Amino acid sequence: RDSSTSRGLGDVYKRQLIFRRTHVKLFNIHTILDTCLDLIALQYTCMIVMAMLAFFVFVSRYYVTCRNRQFEQSRWMIVVALLLFVVHYMCQMRLGWRQQGNDVGVLFNLLFYSPSAILLSWSQLNILRAGHRRWSFMRYGVVGYALMVLCIVAGVISNGSLHIGPMLYVADAIHFFTLLYYTWAPLRELGNVQRRLDSEHGNPADAYLRTMRFGFFVVCAFAVISPLYILSRPLLFVFGPLGLISLSLFIVSFTALGFSMSEGVTEIVTETNDEIAAAKVFREIGPERIAEIDMAVSKWRSEGGFRDSNLTLSSFARRIMVNRTDVASYLTSIYGKNFRTWLSGIRVEEAKALMAAHPEYSNEVVSMECGFSSRVYFQRLFKERTGLTPAEWRRQR
C-alpha cells in the first residue's frame, strides 16, 4: 500500500511539474508576442503618421499664394524624408529587424534615420542660404552618411552577420555628430537672415522668424537625442511618441512659414551672396548724386510708395531707379539710419498727417494706408517715436 501511494504521489508531482513548465513556456511565448505586438503597433502608428504628414505637406502647396523656388525645393525634401520614414517602418514590420535583436534594429534605424534627418535640415538650409553656396552644406551630410555606411559594412564583413558589435557604436557616433552639425548650421544661418530682415525689410518679420525658429528647434531636439534612444527598446517606447509630436510640430511650422512668407521676405532670403556682399559696401557719394536721389525719393513719397507693406531695400532701389548700394550709402551718410528705421520714420510722419486730415479714421485704416504690417505694430512704433499713443496724440491736437 505504501509503494502504491508513493507512486501515486510521484505521478501527481510529475504532472504538476509538467504543468508548471508548460505554463512557464506559454507565459514566455505570450510575453514575447505581447512585446512584438507592442513594437509593431508603435511602428504601424509611426508609418501612418508619417504618411499623413507627407500628404499634408504635399497638398498644402496648392494653397500658398506667394511661392518661391527654394521653398518648393524644401517642400519636396521634406516629403522625401517622410516617405523614407514610411518605407523604413514598413520594412521593420514586414522583415522584423527589431525582432532579430536590438542591435539589428538600431543598424537599420541608422541607415534610414540619418538621411531623413539630414533632408529635414537641408530643407531649412535651402530656404535660409541664398545662391549656389547653399549646396555646399550638403556635402557634409553625404560624407557623414558614407562614413557611417562604411562602418556598418566593415562590421558586417568582420563579424559575418548583422550583429556588428562595437562598430555599431562607431556608426551611431558618426550619426550623432553629423546631426549635431546639421543642427548648428541652420541656426547660424537663421541669425544671419534675422539681421538682414531687421535692416532691410520695411516691417518686422517676427512671424517668419518665430515660425522658422520654433519648428526647427523642436525637430532638432528630437534628432540630436535620437542616437541615444534608438539603442534602447524601452527608451524607444518613451521617445518614439514624443518624436512623432515634435516632427508634427515641425511640419505645421513649415507649412505656416509658406503662408507667412511675403514677397519682401522671399526677396531678401533668395538674393545671391554676391548681392549680400555688395550691399555691405559703403562708398562716398557726391553732392550731385545726393540731389538726384533726393528728387527720386521725394517723387516716390509723393506717389505714396511707402504704402507698400512688403517694401524692401532692393525693391525700393528698383522703384526709384537708383543703385542699391547708392541708396544704402545715401541713407547712412544723410540720415545715419538703415532702411527699415528710415522708412518707419517716413510712415509715422505720414500717419500723423493722415490722422490730422481725417481724425475719424481708425488705427486699422491708418496703419493700412501708411504701409504698416498691422495695427498693433503701428501703435507700438508710434508710441516709440512720439511717446504717445495714436489716441493720445489726437486728443492733444
Side-chain angles (χ1 to χ4, degrees):
R1 188 172 59 240
D2 292 339
S3 61
S4 62
T5 303
S6 299
R7 285 196 301 271
L9 291 174
D11 292 339
V12 172
Y13 176 76
K14 288 179 181 179
R15 285 196 295 271
Q16 289 178 344
L17 184 62
I18 293 171
F19 174 78
R20 288 174 182 173
R21 288 176 177 175
T22 305
H23 180 72
V24 169
K25 289 180 180 179
L26 290 173
F27 176 78
N28 290 336
I29 294 172
H30 181 70
T31 303
I32 293 172
L33 287 174
D34 283 346
T35 302
C36 292
L37 288 174
D38 288 342
L39 185 61
I40 291 175
L42 177 62
Q43 292 167 348
Y44 181 76
T45 302
C46 291
M47 183 190 71
I48 295 299
V49 172
M50 296 299 177
M52 291 176 62
L53 291 175
F55 178 75
F56 177 70
V57 174
F58 174 76
V59 171
S60 64
R61 70 188 298 267
Y62 296 105
Y63 298 92
V64 176
T65 56
C66 180
R67 291 188 186 179
N68 72 70
R69 186 169 56 88
Q70 285 177 227
F71 186 84
E72 292 306 314
Q73 288 174 348
S74 297
R75 185 191 302 278
W76 287 112
M77 291 179 187
I78 291 177
V79 170
V80 171
L82 293 172
L83 291 179
L84 276 176
F85 280 123
V86 172
V87 172
H88 169 63
Y89 293 122
M90 288 179 62
C91 293
Q92 285 276 25
M93 289 188 295
R94 294 296 300 272
L95 303 178
W97 290 330
R98 268 286 175 180
Q99 284 75 12
Q100 299 178 36
N102 283 336
D103 55 343
V104 177
V106 170
L107 185 150
F108 285 101
N109 282 347
L110 291 175
L111 290 175
F112 281 90
Y113 283 3
S114 188
S116 298
I118 291 172
L119 277 172
L120 291 176
S121 180
W122 278 354
S123 69
Q124 305 305 289
L125 284 167
N126 188 61
I127 296 173
L128 294 168
R129 190 67 168 174
H132 297 291
R133 289 184 60 189
R134 69 182 184 274
W135 302 107
S136 64
F137 285 104
M138 295 188 175
R139 66 170 175 264
Y140 299 108
V142 173
V143 171
Y145 187 69
L147 288 175
M148 189 187 70
V149 172
L150 286 175
C151 286
I152 293 174
V153 171
V156 171
I157 293 174
S158 61
N159 291 277
S161 70
L162 294 176
H163 303 280
I164 62 176
M167 293 301 290
L168 181 65
Y169 297 98
V170 177
D172 194 43
I174 295 173
H175 171 67
F176 173 76
F177 286 109
T178 303
L179 293 187
L180 205 60
Y181 170 78
Y182 277 102
T183 300
W184 166 79
L187 291 177
R188 184 190 65 176
E189 293 303 315
L190 183 59
N192 295 335
V193 171
Q194 181 173 6
R195 285 190 290 274
R196 295 196 59 224
L197 287 172
D198 285 342
S199 62
E200 298 187 22
H201 195 248
N203 279 307
D206 296 337
Y208 169 82
L209 297 171
R210 185 170 57 250
T211 302
M212 284 288 290
R213 189 179 293 108
F214 173 75
F216 194 70
F217 173 79
V218 170
V219 80
C220 282
F222 161 68
V224 169
I225 63 173
S226 66
L228 301 177
Y229 67 74
I230 63 175
L231 293 173
S232 169
R233 183 178 294 188
L235 290 179
L236 191 63
F237 281 97
V238 174
F239 286 98
L242 294 178
L244 289 180
I245 294 173
S246 67
L247 189 58
S248 300
L249 290 173
F250 170 77
I251 296 302
V252 171
S253 298
F254 176 83
T255 306
L257 174 62
F259 292 103
S260 65
M261 285 184 73
S262 64
E263 293 180 1
V265 172
T266 301
E267 180 182 43
I268 289 177
V269 174
T270 56
E271 285 175 344
T272 65
N273 290 295
D274 292 337
E275 289 173 336
I276 295 171
K280 297 178 180 178
V281 177
F282 176 81
R283 65 187 184 192
E284 295 291 338
I285 51 178
E288 294 182 0
R289 185 59 171 165
I290 290 176
E292 292 176 3
I293 298 175
D294 270 332
M295 290 180 61
V297 170
S298 298
K299 181 181 178 183
W300 165 84
R301 185 171 179 177
S302 65
E303 294 173 349
F306 54 86
R307 295 191 181 97
D308 182 4
S309 61
N310 291 320
L311 199 66
T312 65
L313 177 60
S314 297
S315 61
F316 173 70
R318 288 196 300 270
R319 192 78 56 84
I320 64 174
M321 293 184 290
V322 176
N323 180 276
R324 170 180 161 154
T325 304
D326 285 353
V327 173
S329 301
Y330 166 81
L331 295 176
T332 302
S333 59
I334 303 302
Y335 298 99
K337 301 175 181 178
N338 61 29
F339 173 73
R340 178 176 170 181
T341 305
W342 172 80
L343 182 59
S344 296
I346 296 290
R347 285 171 171 164
V348 168
E349 292 301 319
E350 293 293 337
K352 289 179 181 179
L354 186 61
M355 287 189 296
H358 299 278
E360 74 278 8
Y361 282 2
S362 66
N363 289 341
E364 188 76 35
V365 173
V366 174
S367 65
M368 291 176 60
E369 286 294 318
C370 295
F372 293 98
S373 59
S374 67
R375 174 183 56 82
V376 175
Y377 176 60
F378 160 61
Q379 293 175 167
R380 176 164 60 86
L381 187 62
F382 193 91
K383 179 71 179 292
E384 290 176 359
R385 295 288 182 131
T386 64
L388 301 170
T389 65
E392 291 170 344
W393 185 88
R394 285 187 176 100
R395 286 195 296 267
Q396 286 194 4
R397 287 194 68 255

